Amino acid sequence: MDNKKLKDLVVRTVSGAVLLLVVVGALLWSKWSAGALFAVIMLGGLVEFYRLCRKKGVEPMSSVGVATSLAIFGLAFAVFLQWGTPATDLTGRIVLGALLYTMLIVPTAFVCELWRKSPTPIANIATTFMGIIYVALPMAMVLFIPQLLVGKWSGLAMLAFIGIIWVNDIFAYLVGVTLGKHRLCERISPKKSWEGFFGGLIGAVGAAVLFGYLFGGNLLIWGGLGLVTALAGVAGDLVESLMKREVDVKDSGKMMPGHGGFLDRFDALYLAVPFALFYLIVTSFS
């Protein structure tokens, strides 16, 4: 291994370890630190998404997108803080204010476009709200996964959910490197293989079942969560690769040396959250 490759490996390892410590520490410290973590992941991903859109000549309204995303996140976080307890008058006002703000900002975005004199008004509006749907909504809703999994907020349960995504990535990489021969989606991501894909699924389901055992939960439901999360995570990775390929960039940003940006690191999480939530809501009725 030459000096450059060795240096890159060291940089990737150190920055990856720092990210791991930040994520684990924030999730285990408190609800507030967990909320701050997901807010940062939301804002970072949103800024990078709008930057990718601009490389295609589209002009999303970043300020509108960020303001609306913060309102949605604030609404979700207010509800999250009061989960399982009677809503106070203050919380009610926060929720109502955030909801009204969100309702007003959407039509306002359409009106703002009248004065921008852009040649792509429809694309501008569409990408503005696409960023909110793709990035902000999942990060606002991820806060409720532990409640649906174990009945209360638990940093460990949240870490287990994110751990399923990490295990899927690790197993997919290891199996793909050693056994990968058949390309999964060569047009979008030439290095991914079907062997790695199935290796990741098996690892994710196995990890989910292990987590379910440790939490004393229904192993079948946890195993299903592992499958759904892994499938959605792979799709999220491919979707982000598709967007980067369209604008011809290697990384979405430079948030982490050797790892790229927020979209590069959390693309699987952005798509896994809505599918996992839907799965947990459906299984909660069984």
Side-chain angles (χ1 to χ4, degrees):
M1 182 182 294
D2 58 40
N3 290 335
K4 184 179 185 303
K5 289 185 177 180
L6 180 60
K7 181 180 178 180
D8 290 342
L9 177 61
V10 171
V11 170
R12 284 176 60 86
T13 302
V14 172
S15 59
V18 171
L19 177 63
L20 177 64
L21 289 174
V22 170
V23 171
V24 172
L27 293 181
L28 297 183
W29 191 8
S30 70
K31 289 182 177 181
W32 288 92
S33 59
L37 172 68
F38 290 122
V40 170
I41 294 174
M42 176 189 73
L43 292 174
L46 202 61
V47 169
E48 290 181 358
F49 175 78
Y50 289 148
R51 187 185 300 137
L52 292 180
C53 292
R54 290 193 182 90
K55 290 182 179 292
K56 290 296 292 183
V58 182
E59 301 174 9
M61 291 170 277
S62 300
S63 57
V64 172
V66 169
T68 304
S69 297
L70 287 173
I72 293 172
F73 191 89
L75 167 63
F77 193 69
V79 175
F80 164 70
L81 289 176
Q82 293 296 322
W83 187 278
T85 62
T88 64
D89 181 59
L90 177 60
T91 300
R93 292 185 180 186
I94 293 173
V95 170
L96 180 60
L99 182 59
L100 289 175
Y101 179 79
T102 304
M103 291 174 61
L104 288 173
I105 204 69
V106 173
T108 299
F110 286 82
V111 175
C112 287
E113 196 62 39
L114 295 174
W115 282 271
R116 299 186 76 203
K117 299 179 181 180
S118 170
T120 57
I122 296 176
N124 296 346
I125 295 171
T127 52
T128 297
F129 291 107
M130 181 181 172
I132 295 169
I133 295 170
Y134 172 47
V135 177
L137 284 178
M139 289 303 93
M141 294 297 102
V142 70
L143 296 164
F144 301 104
I145 283 182
Q147 280 91 336
L148 292 170
L149 263 178
V150 297
K152 61 180 181 179
W153 163 253
S154 167
L156 286 173
M158 180 66 79
L159 194 58
F161 171 68
I162 296 177
I164 292 171
I165 298 175
W166 287 343
V167 170
N168 176 60
D169 287 342
I170 293 170
F171 272 69
Y173 173 76
L174 294 176
V175 175
V177 167
T178 56
L179 303 175
K181 294 181 179 180
H182 303 87
R183 298 303 99 185
L184 173 64
C185 195
E186 193 167 7
R187 178 178 65 89
I188 299 173
S189 186
K191 294 183 180 180
K192 285 185 170 53
S193 66
W194 280 104
E195 291 82 359
F197 170 74
F198 286 112
L201 288 187
I202 293 171
V205 172
V209 171
L210 175 60
F211 292 144
Y213 173 77
L214 294 175
F215 280 98
N218 185 312
L219 300 187
L220 185 61
I221 290 178
W222 274 85
L225 175 66
L227 180 62
V228 170
T229 301
L231 288 172
V234 172
D237 187 32
L238 290 173
V239 165
E240 200 249 351
S241 295
L242 179 65
M243 291 189 293
K244 289 192 299 183
R245 185 169 290 272
E246 181 178 357
V247 298
D248 193 26
V249 296
K250 182 178 182 294
D251 296 321
S252 64
K254 299 180 180 179
M255 180 267 295
M256 285 181 60
H259 287 269
F262 285 89
L263 292 181
D264 296 314
R265 288 304 89 208
F266 301 106
D267 50 5
L269 183 63
Y270 293 137
L271 252 66
V273 169
F275 285 97
L277 276 173
F278 180 79
Y279 169 80
L280 291 173
I281 290 171
V282 170
T283 56
S284 69
F285 292 104
S286 60

